[in-house]
Amino acid sequence: MTKSNGEDPRSGNRMERFQQGVRKRTLLAKKKVQSITKDDVKGYLVRNAFVLFTVTGVIVGIILGFCLRPYKMTYREVKYFSFPGELLMRMLQMLVLPLIVSSLVTGTAALDNKASGRMGMRAIVYYMCTTIIAVIIGIIIVVIIHPGKGTKENMHREGKIMKVTAADAFLDLIRNMFPPNLVEACFKQFKTNYDKRMFRVAIPPNETSVVASVINNVSEAMETLTRMKEEVIPVPGAVNGVNALGLVVFSISFGLVIGNMKEQGQPLRHFFDSLNEAIMRLVALIMWYAPLGIMFLIAGKIVEMEDMGVIGGQLAMYTVTVIIGLLIHALIVLPLLYFLVVRKNPWVFIGGLLQALITALGTSSSSATLPITFKCLEENNGVDKRITRFVLPVGATINMDGTALYEALAAIFIAQVNNFELNFGQIITISITATAASIGAAGIPQAGLVTMVIVLTSVGLPTEDITLIIAVDWFLDRLRTTTNVLGDSIGAGIIEHLSRNELKIRDAEMGNSVIEENEMKKPYQLISQENESVKPLDSETKM
Ligand code: ASP
């Protein structure tokens, strides 16, 4: 009913209630601000010291970089200047190998086969879904914006590209899963190289019969009348770098076996638990150095980067398109997925990951960021260690949403600048190969650019056109690495929520041994004990 003056009484009430609410909140906020003591401020600063230092490092790095650009440093000077940043990269990479092995072994050994099987399935489903969503976003965005209008003739080119066939790249991926030598897997990956082989082809009999009739000795004629042919053949080769995929496969299998060995496997479990704990303590030390390292990494890159003048209109549009795609995936899709499954505020969760995200931005490497991602997830977001140890190393190795989105988008961009019309089948091929290429890409700077060759060859696009996008790749790589780390971390949060029942059951089973172990007062704790005694399950920050 409306009043005679036309006003709805309900809307008046609502307005009043709203005003009351605002007043109440303002009063509460005022009280809160008034009650803030020096200690509270100090406590807040200490709690968030890492993030504050890291953000400061980024800001100072950007300012420093732009201030130093006019001095036109030589390549040698830039390398000297970036040295503190290079040190951070080296320190983080130093920890990656023992961290992957120890966390995966303890992560799988702490669960029974059924629980780890289920958790593994959830992880795979999550990785596949998010990667496919990322690829679809990349394709839709590049088709809508169409950054590749015009020709490629006056576009800037940079660097050169090694060719590889899609089939060989795929086989290399599988070969790397099973390294024949574990020690070698710590510093080398298998990679197919190409060589040329000469071989003789016999001339067909009808041709030879004419010639042979002239020459008496038939066998001699057959010998001389052969043609030499050349063919390109795949030969075994190697590239430097940790074979993370091989170590992941080995560590998971090893952890499962140790878990099944019960009493007999206990010494090994203790060993890897202790190793993991020691590595995490080293990570805690390195985290203090990270802000300084990130500052120099960013400043060094800004000093080193080419003048933006080389970036033509198409490349600029392409950069904007990739940024939009990554932002949609990182700021809308992933948080929404987290909210829909976990029903908690995704921004609180993402807030806890800030340091890892900034490190990813600074290092361009999801594998080097892994130690910091562990710290952020376990300490800031309280994710169960059995989940992080199981899910994070696998995620950092095979789950790269940002890279998948980028590869599909870049391939279609290259098709556009070549005026190459892609049919639906070819777009599907690009989606599948972009997904495979993101799985195969290592978590190191610009690895996505190397695996892009597979996507391009699968639909017959010229691989040398990758040189068209190299100029901006260093920058886009940082953004896609950040998206990759975010995807892995949100995945850990979602899988923890979905696996809460298995974890509870396991906690109940472990109950007795936990008490026994605690009584023994070991210098380190088994992960299942820490979860039991230190952190209540599901202790993530509530909305
Ligand atoms: N740099 C990325 C990462 O480490 C991989 C890529 O080049 O896309 O996650």
Side-chain angles (χ1 to χ4, degrees), residues 364-366 400 403 442-448 477 480-481 484:
S364 272
S365 165
S366 40
M400 295 191 185
T403 306
I444 55 171
Q446 303 200 323
D477 185 23
R480 59 180 194 256
T481 307
N484 291 345

Side-chain angles (χ1 to χ4, degrees), residues 476-498:
L476 297 178
D477 185 23
R478 284 161 198 265
L479 300 185
R480 59 180 194 256
T481 307
T482 312
T483 312
N484 291 345
V485 171
L486 183 68
D488 298 340
S489 309
I490 288 200
I494 288 180
I495 294 161
E496 183 196 41
H497 179 77
L498 296 176

Side-chain angles (χ1 to χ4, degrees), residues 126-190:
Y126 170 84
Y127 296 154
M128 283 327 280
C129 289
T130 49
T131 307
I132 290 168
I133 294 173
V135 167
I136 294 173
I137 292 175
I139 293 174
I140 293 176
I141 291 288
V142 74
V143 169
I144 293 176
I145 300 183
H146 207 292
K149 268 190 210 107
T151 63
K152 60 177 182 179
E153 302 323 321
N154 37 23
M155 279 180 80
H156 170 83
R157 282 183 187 267
E158 214 174 281
K160 59 176 197 287
I161 287 299
M162 295 276 282
K163 292 200 171 153
V164 59
T165 68
D168 288 332
F170 185 67
L171 291 182
D172 282 354
L173 188 70
I174 299 175
R175 283 186 188 111
N176 277 323
M177 283 182 180
F178 306 100
N181 183 335
L182 276 180
V183 177
E184 195 187 48
C186 298
F187 59 90
K188 254 186 194 165
Q189 287 177 24
F190 185 92

Side-chain angles (χ1 to χ4, degrees), residues 32-182:
K32 255 191 190 169
V33 172
Q34 280 167 350
S35 65
I36 290 176
T37 62
K38 244 188 188 170
D39 284 344
D40 289 337
V41 177
K42 224 167 111 186
Y44 177 83
L45 290 179
V46 169
R47 268 198 316 278
N48 296 288
F50 282 131
V51 178
L52 291 174
F53 284 150
T54 315
V55 173
T56 314
V58 173
I59 296 170
V60 176
I62 294 175
I63 296 172
L64 194 66
F66 279 109
C67 288
L68 289 175
R69 258 181 90 75
Y71 293 98
K72 301 254 175 274
M73 285 193 200
T74 60
Y75 183 77
R76 177 181 286 273
E77 283 167 348
V78 173
K79 286 292 150 212
Y80 288 157
F81 175 70
S82 320
F83 185 67
E86 192 189 331
L87 279 188
L88 173 69
M89 276 298 267
R90 298 177 78 95
M91 287 178 198
L92 290 173
Q93 282 166 342
M94 170 178 80
L95 300 185
V96 168
L97 182 83
L99 189 61
I100 289 185
V101 175
S102 63
S103 57
L104 269 177
V105 171
T106 45
T108 40
L111 299 161
D112 58 83
N113 279 1
K114 220 166 117 197
S116 32
R118 282 211 191 127
M119 222 180 268
M121 268 319 284
R122 284 179 195 126
I124 300 291
V125 170
Y126 170 84
Y127 296 154
M128 283 327 280
C129 289
T130 49
T131 307
I132 290 168
I133 294 173
V135 167
I136 294 173
I137 292 175
I139 293 174
I140 293 176
I141 291 288
V142 74
V143 169
I144 293 176
I145 300 183
H146 207 292
K149 268 190 210 107
T151 63
K152 60 177 182 179
E153 302 323 321
N154 37 23
M155 279 180 80
H156 170 83
R157 282 183 187 267
E158 214 174 281
K160 59 176 197 287
I161 287 299
M162 295 276 282
K163 292 200 171 153
V164 59
T165 68
D168 288 332
F170 185 67
L171 291 182
D172 282 354
L173 188 70
I174 299 175
R175 283 186 188 111
N176 277 323
M177 283 182 180
F178 306 100
N181 183 335
L182 276 180

